[in-house]
Amino acid sequence: MDWGMKNRLYKIIRPKTGRSLMLAVDHGYFLGPTTGLEDWKKAVDPLIPYCDTLFATRGMVRACVDPRKNVPIMLRASGGTSIVGPELLHEGITISVEDVLRLNAVGIGYSILVGAPWERDTMLDFSKWVDDCERYGLIAMAVTAVGKDMAKDARYLSLACRMAAEHGAHIVKTYYCDGFEKVVESCPVPIVMAGGKKIPELEALTMAHNAISAGAVGVDMGRNIFQADDPVAMIQAVRGLIHKKMTPKEALQFYNEHKKASGPAKKSGIAADDTKKV
Ligand code: 5RP
């Protein structure tokens, strides 16, 4: 791994803790204005100081992220299908490596649809992305997307994550499951946990904690943050869990103590300046 790639990887996985809080706000690429992200800029701006990396589409980055903000960007590089179309799982490449570089992103995320009818296309396109990323020192993250009919169990997710690593992924994003340590053990590259649909805060925090305890380097979480009653308090609670070794109960207590406050975090909380150091 050359200097540029290492430097980009350290922007995603913070060297001080070896962990990562990636904020997933790419959902509109197939869902449109999904709940919590109707006004993307308004929803995402207050969360940026608390994430290590933003996972978003190039369109929203260009239209809604102030280029003066010092936040590393991972770009959603697959798509083309929608929740209302006939073939949601037939994604293709949606951005060029030139545009990834133009946007000064640290890398891309690409969905591999293992087990779906179009798995071959997505694996081959992901492999092309690995070549492009290797050429320019960018990070290629494979997103192990799961179709409606596939079980999110350790057997399936181990297969998908291992395939991602074998095809050259630098990071793999996958779902939590029972026996998650088996998924991590058989995948030699860092894993970040996807959040999935909105669940109660304690459950989401416990899931993230369990994933990290099983060996994940962090999360790439979306709905469980931006659909929380207070997304700013929730992202700080997740941050406490990931970078400050809070237990799920401590993180929930933090959330409950801070959730009524609107606007910037209370001084007694995990301040942006403080968290940016890790
Ligand atoms: C789908 C995705 C999503 O677009 C998103 O990043 C998932 O985030 P979350 O499940 O935490 O809302 O990667 O495969």
Side-chain angles (χ1 to χ4, degrees):
M1 196 180 279
D2 68 14
W3 192 94
M5 191 180 278
K6 277 188 195 153
N7 179 259
R8 290 186 180 94
L9 195 60
Y10 284 136
K11 285 184 177 159
I12 301 169
I13 303 170
R14 307 303 296 170
K16 197 169 167 186
T17 60
R19 289 186 175 169
S20 180
L21 198 179
M22 200 182 289
L23 176 64
V25 282
D26 59 320
H27 303 62
Y29 88 95
F30 71 102
L31 283 173
T34 196
T35 308
L37 291 181
E38 295 90 341
D39 185 336
W40 196 96
K41 186 171 170 52
K42 200 171 161 196
V44 176
D45 255 352
L47 304 177
I48 287 178
Y50 305 103
C51 70
D52 298 317
T53 315
L54 207 55
F55 183 42
T57 58
R58 65 170 160 187
M60 299 319 264
V61 171
R62 279 215 170 85
C64 305
V65 180
D66 184 335
R68 285 168 294 194
K69 288 213 194 285
N70 188 21
V71 62
I73 307 270
M74 285 286 275
L75 289 171
R76 161 62 65 179
S78 64
T81 59
S82 80
I83 194 76
V84 293
E87 279 183 333
L88 178 62
L89 300 184
H90 189 185
E91 292 189 0
I93 294 174
T94 54
I95 180 172
S96 66
V97 71
E98 287 79 14
D99 217 26
V100 177
L101 294 167
R102 205 175 288 125
L103 281 160
N104 200 27
V106 291
I108 59 97
Y110 196 92
S111 290
I112 54 164
L113 299 157
V114 175
W118 301 98
E119 68 172 5
R120 181 175 183 274
D121 301 43
T122 59
M123 289 310 302
L124 296 185
D125 283 346
F126 177 68
S127 299
K128 284 186 200 147
W129 264 115
V130 172
D131 285 336
D132 280 344
C133 287
E134 289 284 345
R135 193 172 305 122
Y136 296 109
L138 297 163
I139 304 299
M141 178 172 80
V143 181
T144 59
V146 181
K148 268 188 203 152
D149 304 330
M150 268 169 276
K152 284 185 198 168
D153 59 17
R155 192 157 173 255
Y156 171 77
L157 294 174
S158 298
L159 166 73
C161 292
R162 179 59 173 266
M163 280 182 70
E166 299 263 359
H167 284 76
H170 305 112
I171 298 182
V172 177
K173 168 174 174 171
T174 195
Y175 293 92
Y176 184 73
C177 62
D178 286 339
F180 195 67
E181 52 292 334
K182 289 200 187 83
V183 180
V184 178
E185 273 163 22
S186 55
C187 177
V189 298
I191 288 186
V192 288
M193 185 205 78
K197 67 176 193 308
K198 173 79 177 73
I199 51 179
E201 281 77 19
L202 182 58
E203 281 176 38
L205 292 165
T206 303
M207 183 170 73
H209 180 261
N210 290 348
I212 289 163
S213 306
V217 297
V219 299
D220 183 14
M221 210 181 226
R223 286 164 288 179
N224 277 292
I225 291 175
F226 64 71
Q227 290 179 352
D229 288 341
D230 188 329
V232 174
M234 187 60 181
I235 195 170
Q236 289 183 88
V238 175
R239 193 160 186 94
L241 195 88
I242 289 175
H243 287 304
K244 306 245 168 194
K245 296 189 179 163
M246 279 185 188
T247 63
K249 278 191 181 158
E250 286 167 346
L252 181 71
Q253 193 183 341
F254 176 93
Y255 175 73
N256 285 333
E257 282 170 12
H258 290 76
K259 74 175 173 185
K260 281 189 193 119
S262 56
K266 283 180 185 172
K267 277 211 167 119
S268 59
I270 299 178
D273 287 353
D274 179 29
T275 57
K276 270 297 180 189
K277 282 183 204 143
V278 292

